Amino acid sequence: MDLSATGEPVVVQEDTHVHVGLDLRPGTLTLTQDGKDFAAYHALVKFASAHGAPWAAEEVKLSAKGPDGAPVALTVDLLNDTWDGPRAGVPGPIWKVVALAATSAGDVGITYASPNRP
């Protein structure tokens, strides 16, 4: 490939979004919805920082296999309805996935602390 590049790329802090994908070890995260178990194998965590505000985790999209082995996608909203804090009732293991993603995202300047959950 013949490629050249110039410049010094800079991430703009206004309304910046970062998506961090994680492959999960099979069998380490089981999600239960409507009495059905789903084995998660991949997570995509969306972080955002609007207008220089601290980074926040907005959502986690999880790829999983259902009881029948068919792939499904589940989305967990992490912010409450007023977007000023964590959503109540998000299970602890989901926050652990977010913390793992935040550790991976540290390379792009994200600093993140898990919220104090109600």
Side-chain angles (χ1 to χ4, degrees):
M1 169 175 29
D2 186 18
L3 177 69
S4 66
T6 60
E8 186 68 30
V10 175
V11 175
V12 177
Q13 267 297 346
E14 293 196 23
D15 201 23
T16 300
H17 295 274
V18 172
H19 295 83
V20 178
L22 300 171
D23 289 325
L24 304 173
R25 182 175 289 166
T28 60
L29 179 62
T30 301
L31 309 163
T32 303
Q33 185 178 44
D34 299 329
K36 295 180 182 176
D37 288 343
F38 300 90
Y41 59 87
H42 186 79
L44 183 66
V45 182
K46 179 181 176 184
F47 294 94
S49 174
H51 308 292
W55 287 96
E58 288 185 33
E59 70 180 17
V60 178
K61 291 184 180 182
L62 295 149
S63 299
K65 290 185 181 178
D68 59 358
V72 297
L74 303 167
T75 300
V76 179
D77 291 322
L78 300 171
L79 294 176
N80 62 23
D81 293 336
T82 57
W83 291 73
D84 63 357
R87 180 174 298 280
V90 175
I94 298 298
W95 290 115
K96 288 181 181 178
V97 168
V98 171
L100 289 169
T103 299
S104 297
D107 291 342
V108 294
I110 289 178
T111 54
Y112 176 83
S114 294
N116 293 326
R117 298 183 307 275

